[in-house]
């Protein structure tokens, strides 16, 4: 029997993070982190959350991949504003950019030996 892969749920409203910029009524929408393309998710472990340029580089790749015609990065006036946005996006998602559970438990099992 052949497994039929289901369609992505990334476009469903409940699976998206919606936001507005200061002074604007326009709403923007991005998939929650658990719905980003797997190839792009491979870059997540490379992000250093203490380095804003690392997050910005990731976001640039991400936004170009999902919406090449819209440059959301141009909306942000400073890095702190961007970092606050990114934290809110991460909080709304069920996954985060931080250390994965698998890597945390593998380091614990390594320490136990």
């Amino acid at each position: 029997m052949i497994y039929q892969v289901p369609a992505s749920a990334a476009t469903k409203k409940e699976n998206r993070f919606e936001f507005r910029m200061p002074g604007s009524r326009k709403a923007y929408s991005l998939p929650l982190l658990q719905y980003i393309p797997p190839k792009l998710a491979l870059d997540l472990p490379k992000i250093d959350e203490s380095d804003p340029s690392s997050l910005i580089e990731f976001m640039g790749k991400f936004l170009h991949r999902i919406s090449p015609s819209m440059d959301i990065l141009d909306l942000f006036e400073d890095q702190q504003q961007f970092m606050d946005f990114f934290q809110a996006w991460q909080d709304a998602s069920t996954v985060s950019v931080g250390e994965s559970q698998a890597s945390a438990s593998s380091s614990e099992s390594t320490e136990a030996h």
Side-chain angles (χ1 to χ4, degrees):
M1 176 178 257
I2 297 175
Y3 174 73
Q4 179 64 46
V5 176
S8 172
T11 58
K12 292 182 178 179
K13 186 172 178 70
E14 64 269 16
N15 297 333
R16 304 202 52 93
F17 176 66
E18 294 181 326
F19 64 98
R20 285 195 174 102
M21 298 305 291
S24 175
R25 296 189 61 157
K26 180 175 177 151
Y28 296 90
S29 171
L30 296 172
L32 294 172
L33 288 169
Q34 62 268 32
Y35 293 101
I36 65 173
K39 181 150 175 80
L40 192 55
L42 292 174
D43 286 339
L44 288 175
K46 299 175 190 171
I47 294 174
D48 177 358
E49 289 187 85
S50 66
D51 177 12
S53 65
S54 179
L55 288 171
I56 292 168
E57 181 181 350
F58 161 75
M59 185 58 112
K61 287 180 187 179
F62 174 75
L63 292 174
H64 181 71
R65 175 101 184 259
I66 63 164
S67 184
S69 63
M70 180 173 52
D71 195 354
I72 291 177
L73 284 179
D74 282 344
L75 300 174
F76 295 94
E77 297 174 22
D78 61 52
Q79 290 184 23
Q80 186 60 51
Q81 187 184 43
F82 173 77
M83 297 290 284
D84 291 345
F85 156 79
F86 190 82
Q87 184 63 52
W89 183 31
Q90 192 170 243
D91 291 348
S93 301
T94 60
V95 298
S96 72
V97 174
E99 184 176 28
S100 72
Q101 192 65 12
S103 63
S105 40
S106 69
S107 66
E108 287 171 9
S109 65
T110 305
E111 290 172 8
H113 290 88

